[in-house]
Structures are given as structure tokens and as C-alpha cells.
């Protein structure tokens, strides 16, 4: 597989044949404690006092990226391509057979968040990775094949198109007004209170003004911070985030049992040769956040192929319903 850039959108596309997945006959759950022999070796785990793991990360069994080698970014005539260098890790979020984050206590969710923080910081030490994707697919409509709760962390040598666009417009807003776009959004949402769903001392959740999906919810730190992993250095911030995540997901699960949780975090600053040009103002103009994208039906063709979204639930109505649940 290799990464190719579409010159008309500047989006990077991973193309090529996927390695064939081996047929596993073993019917045991791959992610339950005790069945570690069914998964690759542990990268990092958090343990309880008995020395048993409670959150565990390991490399994905059939990764679409490979960890060894150089990017070999090269031209092919007018086109650009590079090797599919990356790191794909799975984080199993509970040792027992658990199917939703919401059935865990806030303390355990806090441990899961600590693991995300650690893995992000660690992968950012690798200068080849420009961005670290952190996401979770829950339920069959969201494409999750394994029900035992887990998430994915993927270090990649490019910035995903959607995030790249967000960074671009956040920078443009900052260049024009000298303020963070997301802080401005938070200010307006907390003043209008029409789309807010929940708030605690460190975070606010609301249905975005132009929600792409019905009951879409974003969660942002109230105090400006571009860096997920630095923000979560504070224990009490982790606890607040665990609380608000659990509250929001419990609400979402009353509407659908399929959703994506996507973290939008700052790119890896160490991986840019010219910090000034590309991401020079990122500390001031980017504001990390979580997007929860519920799936209630299969996406339409228009949405999938043209990224033109149709959402039949007004975000104001969605927020009111979620708030009052
Ligand atoms: Zn299991
Ligand atoms: Zn901000
Ligand atoms: Zn975002």
C-alpha cells in the first residue's frame, strides 16, 4: 500500500491491496483478559494492585500501515506519493467482556483517557508522524466488528483532510480577528444556550450549529488549550472529561447504539520542518475537542461521495432533547 495525494483536493489517499486477514477459528473473545495469546504483544498496559491489566494497548493484527522504514516521499511526474508508514494500535478499555464505555465507572473511564494521553505523547515522539488519530467506533452501523470495548490510535505521516480544513479555517479566523475560532464558538454557545447539552467545570458539550449528523455532539475544554495530551496532564481535568463523556454517551445511547467518537487534537509539532509556515500559530488558534457522531441510518451516496450532508433533526431540537433526558 502507498499514500497518494489527490492534487485537486490535497487529500492523502491510502491505495493498494490490503494484506489478507487470517481466518481465526478460535471463538474466544480476543480482547478479554486471559486471551492475550490471540492478540499481538502488549505495548503498554495499566495494572491493578493484583498486577492484572485493566487497560491494554497492542499493535493491530492486520495493520494498514507499517512501522518500519522511511517515508520516501517522491514525485511521480506531477503527482506526490509516499510509503504507508504509520503505527496502528488498539486499546482495549476493560478486561472483562464489556460492550460500552458507559457501563464503566468514571474512575475507569479516567484510566482509559490516561492511556490515550500516554499513547498520543509517545507516538508524537516519532517525527515521521504528523498526526495521531484517536477514535472509537461503537456498534455495527459504525463499522465495529468486535463488541468488546476498544479504540484505535493511529500515527500517520499526513494530516487527515477534515482536520486539515479545520486547522486552515481556524488559522484564517485567528489571522483576521486575533481570537481562537473555537473559543468564539464556546462563547456564543454558552451565551445563547440553545444548543448546549451539558457543562461541567472544565468542559462544555453542545450540538454544533451546522451538525452533519442528527444528535451530533461536540465537547470542548472551556479554557483554551490546543493540546489534548498537555491538557490531560491535570488529574482533575481527566476526571471532568470522564464525567462529561459518560453523561453524553449515556444520552446518545438512548437514541442509537451506533456512534463514532473522534478526537480532534493538535498535529505533531515535532514533525514539521518549518513550524512557522505550516502550524506556527497552532498554540493560539487550535482548540482540541471531541466529536461524537451518532449513526442512525446508512449514509446516503451524496454524503459519502460528495461530503454534502443532510441532517433532518434541527441541532436546537436535538440539544433540547438530549439536555432534558
Ligand atoms: Zn471480551
Ligand atoms: Zn480556544
Ligand atoms: Zn473537529
Amino acid at each position: 500500500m502507498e499514500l497518494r495525494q489527490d492534487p485537486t483536493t490535497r487529500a492523502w489517499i491510502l491505495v493498494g491491496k490490503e494484506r489478507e486477514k487470517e481466518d481465526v477459528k478460535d471463538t474466544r473473545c480476543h480482547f478479554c483478559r486471559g486471551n492475550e495469546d490471540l492478540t499481538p504483544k502488549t505495548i503498554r498496559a495499566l495494572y491493578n494492585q493484583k498486577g492484572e491489566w485493566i487497560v491494554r494497548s497492542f499493535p493491530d493484527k492486520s495493520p494498514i500501515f507499517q512501522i518500519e522504514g522511511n517515508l520516501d516521499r517522491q514525485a511521480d511526474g506531477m503527482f506526490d506519493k509516499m510509503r504507508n508508514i504509520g503505527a496502528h494500535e488498539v486499546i482495549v478499555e476493560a478486561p472483562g467482556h464489556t460492550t460500552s464505555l458507559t457501563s464503566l465507572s468514571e474512575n475507569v473511564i479516567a484510566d482509559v483517557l490516561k492511556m490515550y494521553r500516554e499513547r498520543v505523547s509517545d507516538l508524537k515522539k516519532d517525527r515521521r508522524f504528523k498526526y495521531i488519530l484517536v477514535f472509537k467506533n461503537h456498534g455495527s452501523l459504525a463499522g465495529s466488528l468486535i463488541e468488546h470495548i476498544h479504540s484505535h490510535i493511529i500515527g500517520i505521516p499526513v494530516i487527515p483532510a477534515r482536520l486539515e480544513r479545520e486547522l486552515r479555517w481556524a488559522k484564517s479566523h485567528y489571522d483576521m480577528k486575533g481570537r481562537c475560532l473555537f473559543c468564539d464558538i464556546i462563547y456564543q454557545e454558552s451565551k445563547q444556550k440553545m444548543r448546549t447539552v451539558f457543562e461541567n467545570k472544565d468542559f462544555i458539550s453542545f450540538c454544533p450549529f451546522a451538525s452533519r449528523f442528527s444528535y451530533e455532539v461536540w465537547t470542548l475544554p472551556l479554557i483554551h488549550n490546543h493540546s489534548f495530551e498537555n491538557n490531560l496532564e491535570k488529574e482533575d481535568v481527566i476526571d471532568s472529561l470522564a464525567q462529561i463523556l459518560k453523561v453524553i454517551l449515556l444520552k446518545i445511547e438512548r437514541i442509537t447504539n451506533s456512534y463514532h467518537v473522534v478526537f480532534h487534537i493538535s498535529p505533531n509539532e515535532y514533525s514539521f520542518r518549518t513550524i512557522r509556515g505550516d502550524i506556527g500559530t497552532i498554540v493560539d488558534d487550535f482548540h482540541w475537542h471531541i466529536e461524537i457522531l451518532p449513526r442512525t441510518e446508512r449514509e446516503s451516496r451524496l454524503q459519502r461521495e460528495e461530503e454534502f450532508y443532510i441532517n433532518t433533526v434541527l441541532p436546537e431540537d436535538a440539544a433540547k432533547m438530549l439536555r432534558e433526558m
Side-chain angles (χ1 to χ4, degrees), residues 1-4 12-21 58-68 71 82-90 129 133 135 137 152-158:
M1 294 187 113
E2 63 183 19
L3 281 159
R4 293 185 178 183
W12 286 92
I13 318 287
L14 190 58
V15 293
K17 240 181 148 165
E18 219 179 327
R19 240 194 298 159
E20 263 173 56
K21 289 188 178 151
F58 50 83
D60 190 88
K61 226 177 175 181
S62 36
I64 42 177
F65 290 98
Q66 60 186 67
I67 188 89
E68 304 293 341
L71 290 168
M82 64 172 104
R83 293 179 55 209
N84 63 329
I85 297 297
H88 186 171
E89 298 181 8
V90 173
F129 304 150
L133 290 158
F135 64 94
N137 299 329
H152 297 269
I153 302 219
I154 310 181
I156 50 172
V158 297

Side-chain angles (χ1 to χ4, degrees), residues 169-184 224 281 283-286:
W169 291 114
K171 185 172 190 322
S172 151
H173 183 92
Y174 184 81
D175 286 344
M176 223 159 42
K177 309 199 172 173
R179 299 188 309 259
C180 162
L181 171 63
F182 296 91
C183 283
D184 277 2
H224 179 83
T281 52
V283 175
D284 298 313
D285 67 35
F286 189 66

Side-chain angles (χ1 to χ4, degrees), residues 65-191:
F65 290 98
Q66 60 186 67
I67 188 89
E68 304 293 341
N70 297 316
L71 290 168
D72 296 331
R73 191 171 171 148
Q74 45 182 282
D76 179 354
M78 67 163 292
F79 301 119
D80 275 305
K81 63 179 186 180
M82 64 172 104
R83 293 179 55 209
N84 63 329
I85 297 297
H88 186 171
E89 298 181 8
V90 173
I91 294 182
V92 175
E93 299 164 336
H97 199 74
T98 314
T99 55
S100 172
L101 212 57
T102 53
S103 57
L104 305 179
S105 71
E106 283 173 24
N107 284 342
V108 179
I109 298 177
D111 285 337
V112 170
L113 293 169
K114 275 177 209 159
M115 185 63 119
Y116 292 173
R117 177 193 70 195
E118 271 194 39
R119 295 316 304 145
V120 167
S121 305
D122 198 43
L123 285 168
K124 279 194 174 179
K125 287 180 192 145
D126 194 324
R127 285 164 180 265
R128 296 173 306 169
F129 304 150
K130 278 209 163 65
Y131 190 70
I132 317 294
L133 290 158
V134 182
F135 64 94
K136 169 180 203 58
N137 299 329
H138 180 92
S140 55
L141 280 181
S144 184
L145 302 171
I146 298 170
E147 61 170 20
H148 191 132
I149 48 168
H150 65 283
S151 46
H152 297 269
I153 302 219
I154 310 181
I156 50 172
V158 297
I159 296 188
R162 182 165 176 92
L163 201 95
E164 205 264 345
R165 238 182 314 166
E166 258 185 31
L167 289 166
R168 192 178 294 274
W169 291 114
K171 185 172 190 322
S172 151
H173 183 92
Y174 184 81
D175 286 344
M176 223 159 42
K177 309 199 172 173
R179 299 188 309 259
C180 162
L181 171 63
F182 296 91
C183 283
D184 277 2
I185 294 174
I186 291 173
Y187 179 75
Q188 176 151 350
E189 293 300 351
S190 36
K191 220 169 82 177

